[in-house]
Every structure is written in C-alpha cells, then in structure tokens.
Amino acid sequence: MHDPRSVLEARRGDRAAAVAALERRDARIALGRLVAFALLAAAAIAAFSGALPWASVLVPGAAFLALLAVHDRALQRLARARRAVAFCDAALARLDERWAGTGDAGDRYAAEGH
C-alpha cells in the first residue's frame, strides 16, 4: 500500500514541473505576440505610406490573431496546472492538520438582514 504523503508529494512535484514548463511556454508565446504585433504595426505604417501593398498586412495580422488564440489556450492550461498544485498543497496541509481556518466560511450565502 502506498503512503498518501509520498503520493501527494510526487504528484505535486509533477504538477509544479508542469507549471514551470507552461510558464516558459507562456513567455515564448507572449514574445511571439509582441514580435507579430510589431511586424503588423510596421507593415501597416509601410502600407499607409505606400511603400508596401495593403495585402502585406494580412500575414502579420493573421499570425497575431493565431497567437492570441494559442496564448488563450496556454493561459487556461497554466491556470488549470496552478489549481492542481494548490489542490495538492491543500491535501498535504490536511495531512499535516494545518487545514483549519483555510476554507470558505460561506458568507456569500448568508441573508443580509439575518
């Protein structure tokens, strides 16, 4: 039979490693968005001045929009991984009996005049 603490610590380590990897991915996508936006702005300025045709704005614009969608999914995955780490932390706190007072008091359900 497995020790619950060792299982939770191993899972937390895996989840924390996933968070670190997703944070690196987030940083790379954010940099890509910045570069795509800079290229879009430069192409728009060049097209506005007549140096480039307006069709040249389509490629950096499409890249920027695609990176927006990719970044949104990456941020959702990152948030989910952070919640998994918090779940493991809460489980370890319960094993250490450090959980008292950390829950939701349910104040949002109380009647105002009660």
XYZ file of all heavy atoms in Angstrom:
846
model
N 0.845 -1.179 0.000
C 0.000 0.000 0.000
C 0.893 1.247 0.000
O 1.919 1.280 0.655
C -0.920 -0.045 1.219
C -1.924 1.054 1.271
S -3.266 0.588 2.353
C -4.599 0.956 1.299
N 0.481 2.271 -0.741
C 1.276 3.481 -0.865
C 0.978 4.447 0.265
O -0.149 4.559 0.748
C 0.984 4.169 -2.202
C 1.357 3.347 -3.385
N 2.634 2.966 -3.645
C 0.603 2.826 -4.375
C 2.675 2.255 -4.745
N 1.448 2.145 -5.215
N 2.004 5.181 0.632
C 1.863 6.222 1.638
C 1.215 7.446 0.978
O 1.727 7.927 -0.046
C 3.247 6.571 2.192
C 3.222 7.736 3.147
O 2.245 7.851 3.921
O 4.178 8.528 3.128
N 0.105 7.966 1.527
C -0.567 9.113 0.890
C 0.341 10.325 0.741
O 0.293 11.029 -0.266
C -1.739 9.415 1.819
C -1.964 8.179 2.598
C -0.646 7.484 2.693
N 1.184 10.572 1.729
C 2.069 11.737 1.654
C 3.030 11.626 0.479
O 3.206 12.584 -0.270
C 2.845 11.908 2.956
C 3.837 13.079 2.891
C 4.474 13.371 4.208
N 3.517 13.578 5.262
C 2.769 14.663 5.432
N 2.868 15.650 4.576
N 1.938 14.768 6.432
N 3.633 10.468 0.311
C 4.597 10.323 -0.788
C 3.908 10.429 -2.143
O 4.463 10.996 -3.089
C 5.357 8.995 -0.662
O 4.471 7.901 -0.779
N 2.693 9.895 -2.242
C 1.941 10.009 -3.495
C 1.620 11.467 -3.789
O 1.815 11.954 -4.910
C 0.659 9.151 -3.444
C -0.230 9.432 -4.640
C 1.007 7.682 -3.361
N 1.143 12.191 -2.767
C 0.800 13.610 -2.969
C 2.027 14.450 -3.282
O 1.967 15.352 -4.115
C 0.084 14.157 -1.727
C -1.369 13.733 -1.582
C -1.892 14.087 -0.202
C -2.208 14.388 -2.651
N 3.132 14.172 -2.611
C 4.354 14.938 -2.881
C 4.853 14.676 -4.299
O 5.320 15.598 -4.988
C 5.416 14.604 -1.845
C 5.116 15.215 -0.485
C 6.060 14.742 0.609
O 6.826 13.767 0.372
O 6.024 15.327 1.696
N 4.755 13.427 -4.747
C 5.166 13.106 -6.122
C 4.254 13.799 -7.129
O 4.726 14.374 -8.125
C 5.150 11.597 -6.338
N 2.945 13.750 -6.867
C 2.010 14.424 -7.766
C 2.243 15.925 -7.777
O 2.186 16.562 -8.830
C 0.565 14.131 -7.353
C 0.129 12.751 -7.704
C -1.301 12.523 -7.326
N -1.687 11.143 -7.593
C -2.810 10.609 -7.204
N -3.690 11.322 -6.529
N -3.080 9.351 -7.484
N 2.493 16.499 -6.597
C 2.743 17.943 -6.525
C 3.999 18.303 -7.313
O 4.044 19.313 -8.015
C 2.879 18.409 -5.086
C 2.898 19.932 -5.017
C 3.470 20.456 -3.726
N 3.390 21.901 -3.703
C 4.212 22.709 -4.377
N 5.147 22.204 -5.164
N 4.079 24.025 -4.301
N 5.031 17.479 -7.196
C 6.256 17.725 -7.954
C 6.006 17.684 -9.458
O 6.509 18.534 -10.207
N 5.210 16.708 -9.885
C 4.865 16.622 -11.309
C 4.079 17.846 -11.752
O 4.325 18.409 -12.826
C 4.049 15.361 -11.591
C 4.858 14.086 -11.398
O 6.099 14.164 -11.355
O 4.216 13.019 -11.274
N 3.115 18.241 -10.938
C 2.278 19.404 -11.282
C 3.104 20.692 -11.276
O 2.920 21.557 -12.136
C 1.106 19.568 -10.319
C 0.132 18.419 -10.143
C -0.332 17.778 -11.417
N -1.431 16.856 -11.252
C -1.296 15.548 -11.047
N -0.110 15.003 -10.933
N -2.364 14.775 -10.960
N 4.019 20.823 -10.313
C 4.870 22.019 -10.257
C 5.792 22.079 -11.472
O 6.042 23.168 -12.025
C 5.670 22.040 -8.962
N 6.298 20.938 -11.911
C 7.135 20.910 -13.122
C 6.307 21.308 -14.338
O 6.798 22.024 -15.229
C 7.737 19.521 -13.302
N 5.057 20.866 -14.373
C 4.174 21.252 -15.484
C 3.914 22.750 -15.467
O 3.893 23.397 -16.526
C 2.857 20.488 -15.405
N 3.736 23.330 -14.276
C 3.532 24.777 -14.166
C 4.751 25.516 -14.696
O 4.628 26.486 -15.463
C 3.216 25.190 -12.708
C 3.336 26.686 -12.519
C 1.821 24.722 -12.315
N 5.943 25.074 -14.319
C 7.171 25.733 -14.794
C 7.277 25.661 -16.317
O 7.621 26.655 -16.973
C 8.391 25.101 -14.132
N 6.963 24.504 -16.886
C 7.023 24.364 -18.343
C 5.982 25.250 -19.025
O 6.272 25.884 -20.051
C 6.808 22.905 -18.737
N 4.789 25.314 -18.455
C 3.731 26.143 -19.042
C 4.049 27.625 -18.895
O 3.683 28.431 -19.761
C 2.386 25.800 -18.414
C 1.822 24.438 -18.830
C 0.640 24.057 -17.949
C 1.427 24.439 -20.294
N 4.726 28.012 -17.823
C 5.134 29.411 -17.683
C 6.170 29.783 -18.735
O 6.147 30.898 -19.277
C 5.661 29.668 -16.269
C 4.566 29.736 -15.235
C 5.081 29.850 -13.813
O 6.275 29.538 -13.570
O 4.285 30.230 -12.941
N 7.090 28.862 -19.028
C 8.064 29.126 -20.101
C 7.365 29.240 -21.447
O 7.673 30.113 -22.261
C 9.126 28.021 -20.131
C 10.100 28.073 -18.961
C 11.264 27.118 -19.152
N 10.849 25.730 -19.303
C 10.659 24.876 -18.299
N 10.830 25.286 -17.061
N 10.314 23.622 -18.550
N 6.385 28.362 -21.679
C 5.613 28.417 -22.926
C 4.852 29.731 -23.021
O 4.797 30.357 -24.086
C 4.656 27.227 -22.989
C 3.790 27.206 -24.226
C 2.945 25.933 -24.278
N 1.875 26.008 -25.245
C 2.004 25.783 -26.532
N 3.189 25.484 -27.022
N 0.967 25.867 -27.341
N 4.269 30.166 -21.915
C 3.546 31.437 -21.880
C 4.469 32.587 -22.260
O 4.097 33.456 -23.053
C 2.953 31.643 -20.481
C 2.396 33.035 -20.275
O 1.650 33.513 -21.150
O 2.693 33.645 -19.229
N 5.680 32.584 -21.718
C 6.636 33.651 -22.026
C 7.016 33.645 -23.504
O 7.117 34.708 -24.136
C 7.878 33.507 -21.153
N 7.216 32.452 -24.079
C 7.566 32.375 -25.505
C 6.419 32.865 -26.383
O 6.640 33.586 -27.363
C 7.938 30.935 -25.879
C 9.291 30.503 -25.382
C 9.724 29.191 -26.004
N 8.741 28.141 -25.923
C 8.659 27.224 -24.965
N 9.521 27.252 -23.971
N 7.733 26.287 -24.997
N 5.198 32.481 -26.041
C 4.047 32.923 -26.838
C 3.863 34.428 -26.706
O 3.569 35.112 -27.695
C 2.775 32.163 -26.422
C 2.910 30.682 -26.763
C 1.551 32.738 -27.116
C 1.811 29.815 -26.191
N 4.050 34.960 -25.500
C 3.913 36.407 -25.298
C 4.951 37.162 -26.135
O 4.637 38.196 -26.735
C 4.053 36.746 -23.817
N 6.161 36.647 -26.181
C 7.194 37.280 -27.011
C 6.818 37.190 -28.489
O 6.986 38.153 -29.240
C 8.545 36.619 -26.757
C 9.716 37.200 -27.540
C 9.925 38.665 -27.189
C 10.979 36.401 -27.267
N 6.297 36.051 -28.897
C 5.852 35.901 -30.279
C 4.738 36.875 -30.623
O 4.711 37.441 -31.727
N 3.815 37.075 -29.692
C 2.746 38.057 -29.909
C 3.313 39.458 -30.070
O 2.863 40.227 -30.926
C 1.765 38.045 -28.734
C 0.787 36.926 -28.768
C -0.141 36.961 -27.594
N -0.858 38.221 -27.479
C -1.667 38.523 -26.486
N -1.866 37.681 -25.499
N -2.293 39.677 -26.459
N 4.303 39.781 -29.241
C 4.921 41.105 -29.326
C 5.595 41.300 -30.678
O 5.422 42.347 -31.327
C 5.927 41.280 -28.189
C 6.673 42.606 -28.147
C 5.697 43.748 -27.876
C 7.751 42.561 -27.089
N 6.326 40.299 -31.126
C 7.001 40.388 -32.421
C 5.975 40.485 -33.557
O 6.117 41.308 -34.475
C 7.949 39.177 -32.624
C 8.449 39.098 -34.046
C 9.104 39.255 -31.645
N 4.936 39.662 -33.488
C 3.904 39.701 -34.529
C 3.213 41.058 -34.563
O 2.934 41.593 -35.639
C 2.881 38.587 -34.301
N 2.954 41.634 -33.386
C 2.316 42.946 -33.354
C 3.251 44.016 -33.913
O 2.803 44.914 -34.639
C 1.887 43.312 -31.930
C 1.147 44.601 -31.862
C -0.188 44.672 -32.251
C 1.772 45.763 -31.439
C -0.875 45.871 -32.214
C 1.094 46.961 -31.395
C -0.240 47.021 -31.782
N 4.531 43.937 -33.576
C 5.492 44.902 -34.112
C 5.568 44.811 -35.636
O 5.603 45.837 -36.331
C 6.866 44.677 -33.491
N 5.581 43.575 -36.153
C 5.587 43.398 -37.613
C 4.298 43.914 -38.235
O 4.311 44.522 -39.311
C 5.793 41.932 -37.969
C 7.181 41.368 -37.689
C 7.204 39.863 -37.927
C 8.220 42.076 -38.534
N 3.182 43.685 -37.560
C 1.895 44.189 -38.045
C 1.897 45.711 -38.088
O 1.465 46.317 -39.082
C 0.765 43.683 -37.149
C -0.642 44.196 -37.450
C -1.083 43.754 -38.832
C -1.606 43.693 -36.384
N 2.406 46.336 -37.026
C 2.455 47.796 -36.987
C 3.379 48.337 -38.073
O 3.043 49.321 -38.758
C 2.914 48.261 -35.605
N 4.536 47.706 -38.238
C 5.474 48.160 -39.271
C 4.874 47.998 -40.666
O 5.007 48.895 -41.521
C 6.782 47.379 -39.159
N 4.202 46.870 -40.905
C 3.575 46.649 -42.212
C 2.445 47.646 -42.441
O 2.272 48.156 -43.563
C 3.054 45.220 -42.317
N 1.689 47.961 -41.403
C 0.593 48.929 -41.544
C 1.139 50.316 -41.838
O 0.596 51.042 -42.687
C -0.261 48.943 -40.278
N 2.213 50.689 -41.167
C 2.821 52.007 -41.425
C 3.370 52.060 -42.842
O 3.186 53.056 -43.565
C 3.914 52.302 -40.374
C 3.263 52.542 -39.014
C 4.763 53.494 -40.789
C 4.245 52.626 -37.869
N 4.049 50.981 -43.258
C 4.594 50.945 -44.616
C 3.478 50.947 -45.655
O 3.594 51.597 -46.701
C 5.480 49.712 -44.787
N 2.392 50.250 -45.372
C 1.271 50.238 -46.311
C 0.585 51.596 -46.359
O 0.170 52.051 -47.429
C 0.267 49.155 -45.907
N 0.484 52.239 -45.215
C -0.148 53.561 -45.176
C 0.677 54.591 -45.945
O 0.124 55.475 -46.611
C -0.323 54.004 -43.717
C -1.105 55.266 -43.562
C -2.468 55.293 -43.813
C -0.484 56.443 -43.174
C -3.194 56.456 -43.684
C -1.198 57.615 -43.042
C -2.563 57.626 -43.286
N 2.014 54.449 -45.881
C 2.874 55.393 -46.605
C 3.000 55.042 -48.084
O 3.576 55.821 -48.851
C 4.267 55.429 -45.971
O 4.921 54.198 -46.169
N 2.510 53.876 -48.472
C 2.546 53.485 -49.874
C 3.754 52.663 -50.258
O 3.918 52.298 -51.418
N 4.636 52.335 -49.308
C 5.836 51.562 -49.604
C 5.516 50.085 -49.825
O 6.258 49.388 -50.532
C 6.855 51.711 -48.481
N 4.445 49.596 -49.200
C 4.037 48.192 -49.338
C 2.553 48.150 -49.688
O 1.790 49.041 -49.315
C 4.248 47.423 -48.031
C 5.667 47.079 -47.606
C 5.667 46.421 -46.241
C 6.313 46.156 -48.621
N 2.131 47.107 -50.366
C 0.688 46.971 -50.623
C -0.039 46.587 -49.321
O 0.541 46.006 -48.411
C 0.610 45.842 -51.651
C 1.868 45.079 -51.482
C 2.900 46.057 -51.017
N -1.315 46.910 -49.266
C -2.101 46.621 -48.062
C -2.204 45.125 -47.794
O -2.402 44.705 -46.644
C -3.493 47.237 -48.166
C -3.470 48.686 -47.802
C -3.487 49.744 -48.661
C -3.383 49.230 -46.491
N -3.414 50.922 -47.962
C -3.358 50.635 -46.617
C -3.313 48.685 -45.218
C -3.271 51.493 -45.524
C -3.233 49.541 -44.133
C -3.205 50.916 -44.284
N -2.047 44.314 -48.800
C -2.100 42.863 -48.598
C -0.954 42.371 -47.713
O -1.054 41.319 -47.090
C -2.060 42.152 -49.947
N 0.124 43.136 -47.618
C 1.258 42.734 -46.781
C 0.925 42.787 -45.291
O 1.664 42.248 -44.475
C 2.474 43.609 -47.078
O 2.193 44.950 -46.719
N -0.192 43.396 -44.944
C -0.617 43.472 -43.541
C -1.299 42.164 -43.127
O -1.374 41.843 -41.935
C -1.557 44.691 -43.346
C -2.107 44.757 -41.948
C -0.827 45.974 -43.697
N -1.749 41.379 -44.094
C -2.518 40.175 -43.786
C -1.704 39.109 -43.048
O -2.196 38.499 -42.098
C -3.102 39.582 -45.066
C -4.169 40.428 -45.761
C -4.615 39.749 -47.047
C -5.342 40.661 -44.830
N -0.478 38.884 -43.463
C 0.319 37.812 -42.857
C 0.636 38.109 -41.388
O 0.349 37.272 -40.520
C 1.595 37.534 -43.677
C 2.511 36.561 -42.954
C 1.225 37.003 -45.044
N 1.199 39.271 -41.052
C 1.440 39.510 -39.618
C 0.139 39.634 -38.817
O 0.094 39.249 -37.648
C 2.253 40.796 -39.575
C 2.177 41.399 -40.906
C 1.772 40.332 -41.871
N -0.913 40.123 -39.452
C -2.201 40.207 -38.762
C -2.757 38.834 -38.446
O -3.247 38.580 -37.336
N -2.672 37.924 -39.404
C -3.143 36.551 -39.174
C -2.286 35.852 -38.126
O -2.802 35.116 -37.277
C -3.127 35.773 -40.484
N -0.976 36.097 -38.178
C -0.093 35.494 -37.177
C -0.432 35.998 -35.780
O -0.473 35.225 -34.822
C 1.366 35.799 -37.516
N -0.688 37.292 -35.668
C -1.033 37.864 -34.364
C -2.346 37.273 -33.851
O -2.443 36.893 -32.675
C -1.129 39.392 -34.455
C -1.451 40.043 -33.150
C -0.503 40.132 -32.147
C -2.711 40.565 -32.921
C -0.799 40.717 -30.932
C -3.017 41.163 -31.699
C -2.062 41.239 -30.711
N -3.348 37.165 -34.708
C -4.628 36.598 -34.284
C -4.487 35.128 -33.892
O -5.100 34.677 -32.916
C -5.669 36.762 -35.388
C -6.140 38.200 -35.633
C -7.092 38.238 -36.824
C -6.782 38.787 -34.392
N -3.702 34.390 -34.639
C -3.482 32.986 -34.295
C -2.783 32.864 -32.943
O -3.140 32.010 -32.118
C -2.658 32.305 -35.382
N -1.796 33.729 -32.702
C -1.100 33.688 -31.420
C -2.005 34.095 -30.264
O -1.825 33.624 -29.140
C 0.148 34.573 -31.460
C 1.326 33.974 -32.217
C 2.429 35.010 -32.400
C 1.849 32.741 -31.514
N -2.980 34.950 -30.539
C -3.960 35.289 -29.493
C -4.717 34.045 -29.046
O -4.887 33.793 -27.847
C -4.955 36.331 -29.996
C -4.522 37.785 -30.006
C -5.611 38.647 -30.623
C -4.202 38.265 -28.619
N -5.168 33.253 -29.998
C -5.917 32.037 -29.671
C -5.030 31.013 -28.970
O -5.436 30.401 -27.977
C -6.518 31.449 -30.944
N -3.811 30.845 -29.470
C -2.885 29.896 -28.856
C -2.549 30.328 -27.428
O -2.487 29.508 -26.504
C -1.610 29.761 -29.719
C -0.521 29.003 -28.995
C -1.939 29.098 -31.037
N -2.340 31.621 -27.240
C -1.985 32.135 -25.918
C -3.136 31.946 -24.932
O -2.914 31.626 -23.761
C -1.587 33.602 -26.021
C -0.794 34.091 -24.865
N -0.694 35.410 -24.540
C -0.058 33.432 -23.932
C 0.066 35.543 -23.479
N 0.461 34.347 -23.088
N -4.356 32.138 -25.402
C -5.507 31.950 -24.523
C -5.569 30.507 -24.030
O -5.771 30.261 -22.833
C -6.796 32.318 -25.258
C -8.011 32.178 -24.378
O -8.028 32.779 -23.283
O -8.945 31.453 -24.767
N -5.376 29.561 -24.920
C -5.385 28.145 -24.510
C -4.233 27.847 -23.557
O -4.393 27.095 -22.590
C -5.331 27.234 -25.728
C -6.643 27.167 -26.478
C -6.676 26.037 -27.490
N -5.574 26.071 -28.445
C -5.604 26.705 -29.613
N -6.682 27.360 -29.979
N -4.566 26.669 -30.413
N -3.073 28.441 -23.824
C -1.917 28.210 -22.950
C -2.168 28.780 -21.553
O -1.801 28.158 -20.548
C -0.664 28.840 -23.558
N -2.805 29.937 -21.481
C -3.108 30.527 -20.176
C -4.148 29.704 -19.419
O -4.077 29.584 -18.189
C -3.588 31.973 -20.348
C -2.512 32.962 -20.787
C -3.133 34.336 -21.056
C -1.412 33.056 -19.746
N -5.095 29.118 -20.143
C -6.073 28.241 -19.490
C -5.386 26.998 -18.927
O -5.679 26.574 -17.803
C -7.172 27.841 -20.473
C -8.103 28.970 -20.825
C -9.093 28.585 -21.913
O -9.103 27.455 -22.396
N -9.921 29.532 -22.309
N -4.474 26.425 -19.693
C -3.732 25.252 -19.206
C -2.877 25.610 -17.993
O -2.772 24.828 -17.046
C -2.849 24.688 -20.310
C -3.600 23.982 -21.378
C -2.643 23.352 -22.386
N -3.380 22.863 -23.516
C -3.120 23.172 -24.774
N -2.101 23.949 -25.073
N -3.857 22.681 -25.744
N -2.266 26.785 -18.029
C -1.442 27.231 -16.905
C -2.287 27.408 -15.649
O -1.893 26.981 -14.564
C -0.714 28.530 -17.270
C 0.165 29.161 -16.189
C 1.246 28.191 -15.734
C 0.779 30.449 -16.711
N -3.445 28.017 -15.789
C -4.331 28.204 -14.634
C -4.774 26.854 -14.077
O -4.820 26.658 -12.852
C -5.536 29.042 -15.033
N -5.084 25.908 -14.957
C -5.500 24.577 -14.512
C -4.357 23.877 -13.777
O -4.562 23.244 -12.736
C -5.971 23.753 -15.711
C -6.599 22.454 -15.345
C -7.270 21.730 -16.521
N -6.548 21.756 -17.765
C -6.915 22.447 -18.849
N -8.005 23.183 -18.845
N -6.200 22.411 -19.951
N -3.133 24.017 -14.267
C -1.979 23.400 -13.610
C -1.716 24.045 -12.258
O -1.369 23.351 -11.291
C -0.744 23.516 -14.511
N -1.883 25.355 -12.164
C -1.704 26.029 -10.866
C -2.766 25.577 -9.865
O -2.472 25.432 -8.672
C -1.754 27.544 -11.055
C -0.492 28.089 -11.687
C -0.569 29.573 -11.884
N 0.694 30.093 -12.397
C 0.817 31.231 -13.032
N -0.246 32.006 -13.250
N 1.998 31.629 -13.465
N -3.992 25.362 -10.334
C -5.035 24.845 -9.441
C -4.689 23.438 -8.966
O -4.963 23.080 -7.819
C -6.396 24.857 -10.135
C -7.004 26.234 -10.253
C -8.465 26.192 -10.680
N -8.726 25.427 -11.882
C -8.719 25.923 -13.116
N -8.463 27.197 -13.307
N -8.989 25.142 -14.149
N -4.079 22.633 -9.824
C -3.683 21.276 -9.435
C -2.613 21.318 -8.349
O -2.645 20.523 -7.406
C -3.190 20.497 -10.652
N -1.667 22.246 -8.466
C -0.641 22.402 -7.424
C -1.296 22.850 -6.119
O -0.979 22.323 -5.042
C 0.452 23.406 -7.868
C 1.360 23.775 -6.708
C 1.269 22.818 -9.007
N -2.226 23.793 -6.198
C -2.917 24.263 -4.996
C -3.725 23.130 -4.360
O -3.794 23.022 -3.122
C -3.829 25.435 -5.332
N -4.323 22.270 -5.183
C -5.070 21.128 -4.663
C -4.139 20.195 -3.891
O -4.471 19.735 -2.794
C -5.747 20.384 -5.820
C -6.526 19.190 -5.394
C -7.812 19.325 -4.897
C -5.977 17.917 -5.481
C -8.540 18.215 -4.499
C -6.692 16.805 -5.084
C -7.976 16.957 -4.588
N -2.976 19.911 -4.449
C -2.010 19.050 -3.756
C -1.509 19.709 -2.482
O -1.330 19.035 -1.450
C -0.833 18.718 -4.679
S -1.267 17.617 -6.036
N -1.279 21.030 -2.526
C -0.864 21.745 -1.315
C -1.925 21.646 -0.229
O -1.608 21.444 0.947
C -0.578 23.212 -1.625
C 0.713 23.403 -2.398
O 1.569 22.492 -2.383
O 0.865 24.470 -3.028
N -3.191 21.787 -0.610
C -4.280 21.684 0.364
C -4.365 20.272 0.928
O -4.604 20.088 2.132
C -5.604 22.089 -0.285
N -4.156 19.263 0.098
C -4.193 17.880 0.573
C -3.052 17.611 1.546
O -3.240 16.963 2.580
C -4.132 16.918 -0.606
N -1.868 18.133 1.239
C -0.737 17.971 2.158
C -0.994 18.718 3.467
O -0.620 18.234 4.544
C 0.554 18.456 1.493
C 1.095 17.543 0.400
C 2.195 18.241 -0.386
C 1.603 16.235 0.998
N -1.630 19.881 3.381
C -1.964 20.631 4.600
C -2.957 19.843 5.457
O -2.858 19.839 6.687
C -2.536 21.998 4.235
N -3.892 19.165 4.818
C -4.835 18.335 5.584
C -4.104 17.195 6.283
O -4.409 16.863 7.436
C -5.931 17.784 4.664
C -6.975 18.795 4.306
C -8.175 18.159 3.620
N -7.845 17.439 2.391
C -7.762 18.002 1.192
N -7.986 19.296 1.050
N -7.457 17.274 0.128
N -3.131 16.599 5.612
C -2.354 15.529 6.243
C -1.553 16.044 7.431
O -1.348 15.324 8.414
C -1.421 14.873 5.222
C -2.075 13.981 4.185
C -1.033 13.473 3.203
C -2.785 12.810 4.848
N -1.091 17.289 7.334
C -0.329 17.908 8.433
C -1.232 18.556 9.466
O -0.729 19.143 10.424
C 0.621 18.974 7.870
C 1.726 18.375 7.027
O 2.030 17.176 7.218
O 2.283 19.101 6.182
N -2.539 18.477 9.253
C -3.539 19.098 10.122
C -3.336 20.613 10.231
O -3.482 21.208 11.288
C -3.545 18.431 11.495
C -3.946 16.972 11.402
C -4.121 16.311 12.740
O -4.237 17.017 13.759
O -4.152 15.072 12.772
N -3.000 21.236 9.096
C -2.867 22.695 9.012
C -4.017 23.290 8.216
O -3.936 24.395 7.724
C -1.558 23.076 8.304
C -0.309 22.744 9.053
C 0.939 23.184 8.288
N 1.161 22.330 7.109
C 1.134 22.753 5.849
N 0.906 24.007 5.571
N 1.348 21.911 4.850
N -5.109 22.576 8.069
C -6.209 22.989 7.204
C -7.222 23.869 7.912
O -7.968 24.595 7.268
C -6.912 21.761 6.640
C -7.462 20.867 7.703
C -6.812 19.848 8.321
C -8.739 20.933 8.304
N -7.613 19.272 9.265
C -8.812 19.924 9.268
C -9.847 21.748 8.111
C -9.939 19.707 10.051
C -10.974 21.524 8.884
C -11.006 20.514 9.842
N -7.295 23.823 9.228
C -8.346 24.541 9.963
C -8.266 26.044 9.693
O -7.199 26.660 9.753
C -8.213 24.274 11.449
N -9.400 26.621 9.355
C -9.480 28.054 9.115
C -9.148 28.479 7.700
O -9.151 29.668 7.401
N -8.870 27.545 6.810
C -8.486 27.925 5.442
C -9.627 27.786 4.451
O -9.492 28.171 3.307
C -7.313 27.059 4.945
O -7.714 25.688 4.956
C -6.094 27.241 5.819
N -10.752 27.248 4.884
C -11.861 27.016 3.966
C -12.725 28.241 3.759
O -12.467 29.324 4.281
N -13.772 28.053 2.988
C -14.734 29.102 2.702
C -15.777 29.122 3.811
O -16.390 28.104 4.125
C -15.402 28.826 1.345
C -16.310 29.953 0.902
O -16.355 31.003 1.568
O -16.986 29.762 -0.131
N -15.994 30.288 4.421
C -16.929 30.407 5.534
C -18.382 30.388 5.057
O -19.296 30.215 5.864
C -16.651 31.696 6.311
N -18.616 30.603 3.793
C -19.975 30.591 3.249
C -20.721 31.890 3.485
O -21.954 31.919 3.452
N -20.006 32.970 3.730
C -20.643 34.260 3.995
C -21.482 34.750 2.833
O -22.455 35.481 3.026
C -19.582 35.329 4.321
C -18.860 35.035 5.627
O -19.455 34.323 6.482
O -17.724 35.510 5.797
N -21.160 34.356 1.613
C -21.916 34.838 0.465
C -23.348 34.282 0.462
O -24.222 34.784 -0.237
C -21.207 34.501 -0.827
C -21.092 33.032 -1.116
C -20.363 32.792 -2.429
N -20.207 31.390 -2.697
C -19.138 30.662 -2.380
N -18.121 31.258 -1.791
N -19.084 29.389 -2.661
N -23.606 33.217 1.219
C -24.945 32.629 1.273
C -25.794 33.194 2.417
O -26.975 32.915 2.487
C -24.837 31.107 1.433
C -24.125 30.453 0.286
C -22.893 29.828 0.475
C -24.656 30.463 -0.989
C -22.227 29.228 -0.568
C -24.000 29.874 -2.048
C -22.787 29.259 -1.833
O -22.135 28.669 -2.878
N -25.204 33.956 3.282
C -25.939 34.494 4.434
C -26.875 35.603 3.967
O -26.531 36.432 3.111
C -24.963 35.036 5.470
N -28.066 35.633 4.535
C -29.041 36.695 4.221
C -28.535 37.997 4.841
O -27.998 38.004 5.942
C -30.405 36.327 4.762
N -28.730 39.105 4.138
C -28.214 40.388 4.623
C -28.849 40.822 5.931
O -28.177 41.354 6.800
C -28.440 41.467 3.546
C -27.568 41.288 2.336
C -27.778 42.388 1.339
O -28.194 43.497 1.716
O -27.519 42.144 0.148
N -30.127 40.602 6.082
C -30.810 41.045 7.286
C -30.867 40.002 8.379
O -31.540 40.196 9.401
N -30.196 38.917 8.200
C -30.290 37.833 9.161
C -29.212 37.917 10.197
O -28.092 38.040 10.021
C -30.191 36.500 8.409
C -30.536 35.335 9.287
N -31.089 34.198 8.794
C -30.432 35.108 10.608
C -31.283 33.326 9.745
N -30.887 33.870 10.864
